[in-house]
């Protein structure tokens, strides 16, 4: 989340996933079924193998994510990043006609839309089927052509005119299949399939054809044994289109080369429209326990999710508030937090807001990692985030220490923790005092955050249902504070 | 500050009242000028032909002393700008397209969405400006299907526009 106040400063919080495939933030035992246990153990070995510091530092860039991009496996009680999930297709659809393509057709149609969806060869926009007057024949006959609304390209420019406005792909296939080389290829295939069938029918063994060597062996052996239905008794191949004469050999060769045997791809040289490629919907699984984390609806028009396990629903979200709502007791508006520019040597207060997404309380502890560039004091290192509940259940705001005097509980309510600026509902804003030591373009502070909560879901596996499980998640967050002058 | 408008409207022209018309303007039969269009003949007259559709927020400005001539059967879509010396027949200037400077359009041209002519070029007939980054090509059909659709559009607008907007009575 970036601040709007200063376009130069880029405030943001990134969460770190130390995975080389999986992230371990708890010491809870890995839940894996018996079959997958080996994989899980291998993966754990991977995780625990230490990388040297310099590699770790360089890799850290790849492993930080905003919380919106992270998932959470509730089986493993672990955070998962996009690197440590397994993706698999959950459905295929055409992006243009939003037709859901069944999985079997995907392969046969070579991952392209089998209906009227094509890209314009000039400007790559999607073509539209339009009924126009035919230029061929009598004229005055109507036919369908593909036309582009952007560049006004027309399939009449390459001579494509279709009788009906549906099933354009099929009509194109038929047009292409008229080529003599394609016909020849098809008849050759048919002939050799017949030979294969005859040969395998006369084979002594009943293994079927496993290799070309065994196929040849059977051919020859069949001939030697002189069976009645031998391969030799089959009539020799007769060319479907080409006349077998030596003089025309070179012409045949040229024709075969020119023939566009690949039926689905548009040749860019001939400016033919290409079919629209299908899009996939992906579902994601935890790499360790194969629990599904994200499962979208397979229908193309439906953009919801059947299963959606996001890190933001399990871990506290850390943000920079621009301003905090005033409390009624104080009567003043707390405005413009996080506006103090950072200067070397001077202490600036930085306010971070933690939001608890769970329905149970969460204990959070914040520790600062080592950093040469700045010294950070966390004024409220340990606090408890109240659970998420309906708004009308919240009490009046329990404020608060003003920014000017962090040590005074001037509101008079007593027992207000030092460093907690604001508390509202399931959110707590805490203050960090940052003293930069050096000028830098982008000051980033590492924070080690540990959250603990009680698991309120019923345990299915264990017999012990009396004590709910405590789940502890520890992760690093990198807080970017922008430029230091 | 609006100069007196010497407006000559043909009997079947349909011009909304909420338009900005300044200077010497002549509008032909069947032409429709939608709301919020501005036709400003600043330094020279503007002559608009028949059966044009000039959509809302269009700015037709004549900065030159020579007349700005718009032909027949053109469609000038929303927020377009025509500042050149004129356009021919059966052209389409799409949304936010611009004919700038001293350029002219020929016939059967299409200035695509947010596309511009060069500051001073005479765009030849049958040219299509499109895309971002802008490129151009020549159309290979003869634009035969344009008139049918255009006339239907015109008919519809002539029917519906007066129901919902105040129209300048023809003089």
């Amino acid at each position: 989340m970036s601040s709007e106040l200063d376009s130069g400063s880029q405030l943001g919080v990134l969460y770190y996933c130390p995975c080389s495939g999986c992230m371990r933030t708890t010491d809870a035992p890995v839940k894996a079924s018996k079959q997958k246990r080996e994989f899980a153990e291998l993966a754990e070995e991977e995780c625990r193998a230490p990388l040297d510091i310099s590699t770790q530092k360089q890799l850290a860039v790849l492993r930080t994510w905003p919380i919106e991009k992270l998932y959470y496996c509730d089986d493993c009680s672990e955070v998962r990043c996009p690197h440590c999930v397994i993706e698999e297709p959950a459905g295929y659809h055409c992006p243009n006609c939003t037709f859901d393509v069944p999985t079997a057709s995907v392969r046969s149609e070579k991952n392209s839309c089998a209906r009227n969806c094509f890209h314009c060869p000039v400007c790559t926009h999607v073509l539209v089927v339009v009924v126009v007057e035919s230029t061929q024949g009598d004229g005055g006959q109507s036919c369908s052509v593909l036309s582009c609304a952007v560049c006004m390209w027309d399939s009449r420019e390459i001579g494509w005119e279709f009788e009906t406005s549906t099933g354009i792909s099929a009509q194109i296939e038929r047009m292409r299949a008229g080529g003599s080389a394609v016909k020849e290829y098809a008849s050759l295939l048919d002939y050799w399939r017949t030979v294969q069938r005859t040969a395998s029918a006369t084979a002594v063994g009943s293994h079927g054809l496993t290799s070309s060597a065994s196929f040849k062996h059977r051919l020859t052996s069949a001939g030697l044994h002189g069976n009645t239905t031998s391969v030799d008794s089959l009539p020799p191949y007769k060319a479907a289109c080409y006349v077998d004469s030596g003089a025309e050999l070179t012409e045949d060769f040229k024709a075969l080369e020119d023939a566009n045997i690949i039926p689905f791809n548009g040749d860019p040289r001939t400016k033919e429209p290409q079919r629209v490629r299908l899009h996939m919907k992906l579902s994601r699984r935890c790499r360790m326990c194969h629990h599904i984390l994200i499962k979208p609806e397979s229908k193309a028009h439906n953009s919801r999710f059947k299963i959606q396990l996001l890190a933001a629903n399990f871990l506290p979200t850390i943000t920079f508030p621009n301003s905090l709502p005033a409390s009624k007791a104080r009567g003043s508006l707390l405005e413009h937090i996080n506006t103090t520019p950072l200067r070397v040597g001077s202490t600036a207060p930085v306010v971070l807001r933690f939001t608890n997404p769970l329905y149970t309380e969460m204990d959070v502890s914040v520790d600062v990692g080592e950093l040469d560039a700045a010294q950070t004091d966390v004024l409220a290192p340990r606090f408890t985030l109240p659970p998420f509940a309906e708004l009308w259940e919240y009490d009046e705001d329990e404020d608060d220490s003003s920014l000017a005097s962090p040590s005074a509980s001037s509101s008079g309510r007593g027992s207000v923790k030092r460093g907690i600026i604001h508390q509202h509902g399931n959110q707590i804003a805490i203050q960090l005092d940052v003293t930069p030591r050096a000028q830098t373009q982008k000051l980033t502070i590492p924070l080690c955050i540990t959250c603990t909560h009680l698991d309120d879901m019923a345990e299915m596996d264990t017999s012990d249902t009396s004590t709910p499980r405590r789940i502890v998640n520890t992760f690093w967050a990198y807080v970017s504070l922008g430029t230091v002058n | 500050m609006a100069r007196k408008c010497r407006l000559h409207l043909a009997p079947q022209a349909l011009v909304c009242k909420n338009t900005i018309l300044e200077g010497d303007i002549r509008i032909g039969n069947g032409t429709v000028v939608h709301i919020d269009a501005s036709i400003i003949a600043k330094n020279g007259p503007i002559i608009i032909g028949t059966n044009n559709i000039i959509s809302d927020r269009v700015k037709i400005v004549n900065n030159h002393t020579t007349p700005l001539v718009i032909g027949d059967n053109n469609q000038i879509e929303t927020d377009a700008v025509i500042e050149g010396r004129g356009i021919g027949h059966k052209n389409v200037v799409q949304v936010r397209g611009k004919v700038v400077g001293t350029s002219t359009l020929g016939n059967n041209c299409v200035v695509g969405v947010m596309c511009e002519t060069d500051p001073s070029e005479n765009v030849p007939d049958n040219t299509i400006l499109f895309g971002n980054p802008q490129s151009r090509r020549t159309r290979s059909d003869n634009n035969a299907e344009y008139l049918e659709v255009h006339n239907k559009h015109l008919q519809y607008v002539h029917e519906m526009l007066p129901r919902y907007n105040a129209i300048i009575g023809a003089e």
Side-chain angles (χ1 to χ4, degrees), chain A residues 83-381:
Chain A
H83 287 327
C84 44
V85 293
I86 303 175
E87 292 180 345
E88 49 192 32
Y92 299 87
H93 63 272
C94 170
N96 183 44
C97 57
T98 65
F99 176 67
D100 291 298
V101 183
T103 322
S105 313
V106 169
R107 204 185 143 84
S108 65
E109 296 290 341
K110 311 280 191 340
N111 301 347
S112 304
C113 186
R115 297 153 129 222
N116 301 346
C117 305
F118 289 86
H119 285 296
C120 171
V122 174
C123 64
T124 71
H125 278 78
V126 178
L127 297 174
V128 171
V129 182
V130 167
V131 177
V132 293
E133 267 191 25
S134 172
T135 52
Q136 306 160 350
D138 328 9
Q141 255 182 340
S142 73
C143 64
S144 306
V145 294
L146 292 167
S147 88
C148 175
V150 173
C151 66
M152 307 287 171
W153 178 89
D154 225 316
S155 67
R156 283 177 287 189
E157 295 189 28
I158 50 169
W160 281 7
E161 292 186 7
F162 309 103
E163 298 138 8
T164 59
S165 57
T166 54
I168 301 284
S169 291
Q171 296 182 53
I172 293 178
E173 290 301 320
R174 258 180 279 139
M175 278 189 342
R176 281 218 179 91
S180 58
V182 180
K183 269 201 215 145
E184 190 67 47
Y185 177 67
S187 68
L188 265 172
L189 260 184
D190 282 335
Y191 174 75
W192 285 110
R193 282 211 181 99
T194 339
V195 172
Q196 240 184 30
R197 244 178 281 128
T198 328
S200 58
T202 61
V204 177
S206 59
H207 291 295
L209 293 158
T210 48
S211 71
S212 56
S214 64
F215 169 70
K216 260 190 183 168
H217 175 72
R218 286 205 190 85
L219 270 182
T220 47
S221 64
L224 284 173
H225 289 123
N227 292 327
T228 44
T229 51
S230 75
V231 170
D232 290 339
S233 71
L234 283 173
Y237 175 69
K238 229 184 191 165
C241 314
Y242 296 114
V243 176
D244 194 11
S245 120
E248 297 185 36
L249 216 55
T250 43
E251 286 192 43
D252 289 358
F253 186 55
K254 254 199 278 176
L256 272 174
E257 273 197 329
D258 288 336
N260 198 351
I261 299 184
I262 308 167
F264 64 95
N265 226 348
D267 190 359
R269 291 168 297 170
T270 63
K271 289 213 143 188
E272 285 186 3
Q274 295 208 349
R275 280 208 214 163
V276 170
R277 293 277 184 233
L278 297 177
H279 282 193
M280 276 197 302
K281 274 192 171 187
L282 294 174
S283 71
R284 287 157 178 97
R285 284 179 188 271
C286 170
R287 199 178 282 248
M288 298 285 273
C289 63
H290 294 257
H291 189 63
I292 294 186
L293 305 175
I294 300 281
K295 186 167 187 181
E297 298 270 355
S298 52
K299 298 243 179 264
H301 56 267
N302 198 340
S303 57
R304 296 200 194 159
F305 294 91
K306 287 186 198 157
I307 301 175
Q308 198 181 13
L309 294 173
L310 301 174
N313 296 343
F314 292 89
L315 295 183
T317 310
I318 306 172
T319 53
F320 286 95
N322 278 344
S323 61
L324 295 169
S327 74
K328 292 171 195 158
R330 285 172 60 94
S332 64
L333 198 62
L334 283 169
E335 278 190 358
H336 295 306
I337 318 287
N338 292 330
T339 51
T340 323
L342 294 167
R343 295 222 165 74
V344 178
S346 69
T347 306
V350 171
V351 179
L352 291 178
R353 177 155 61 191
F354 287 72
T355 310
N356 180 8
L358 302 172
Y359 290 98
T360 59
E361 272 190 355
M362 180 187 272
D363 297 318
V364 179
S365 73
V366 179
D367 297 305
V368 186
E370 278 183 17
L371 187 66
D372 293 331
Q375 184 194 337
T376 315
D377 293 313
V378 182
L379 299 179

Side-chain angles (χ1 to χ4, degrees), chain B residues 24-26 40-48 60-71 82-87 101-104:
Chain B
D24 240 333
I25 304 174
R26 176 190 298 257
I40 301 176
K42 213 150 71 166
N43 297 334
I46 295 181
I47 301 170
I48 302 181
I60 304 179
V61 181
N62 190 359
N63 292 314
H64 318 108
T65 48
T66 52
L68 194 164
V69 180
I70 296 181
I82 309 239
E83 286 171 344
R85 290 199 190 273
I87 64 180
T102 57
S103 302
T104 63

Side-chain angles (χ1 to χ4, degrees), chain B residues 90-108:
Chain B
K90 291 204 207 165
N91 298 300
V92 178
V93 181
Q94 288 183 347
V95 178
R96 295 208 176 155
K98 292 186 178 52
V99 178
V100 294
T102 57
S103 302
T104 63
L105 280 187
N107 301 318
N108 297 318

Side-chain angles (χ1 to χ4, degrees), chain B residues 74-143:
Chain B
N74 296 298
Q75 182 172 356
I76 305 171
E77 294 186 8
T78 305
D79 225 357
V81 171
I82 309 239
E83 286 171 344
R85 290 199 190 273
I87 64 180
H89 310 293
K90 291 204 207 165
N91 298 300
V92 178
V93 181
Q94 288 183 347
V95 178
R96 295 208 176 155
K98 292 186 178 52
V99 178
V100 294
T102 57
S103 302
T104 63
L105 280 187
N107 301 318
N108 297 318
C109 295
V110 175
V111 177
V113 174
M114 297 204 60
C115 294
E116 289 182 12
T117 58
D118 290 338
S120 64
E121 67 165 318
N122 297 328
V123 178
D125 286 359
N126 298 313
T127 311
I128 308 206
L129 306 177
F130 67 97
N132 183 8
Q134 188 174 315
S135 60
R136 62 174 63 187
R137 62 184 292 268
T138 314
R139 77 195 302 163
S140 58
D141 63 339
N142 53 4
N143 208 5

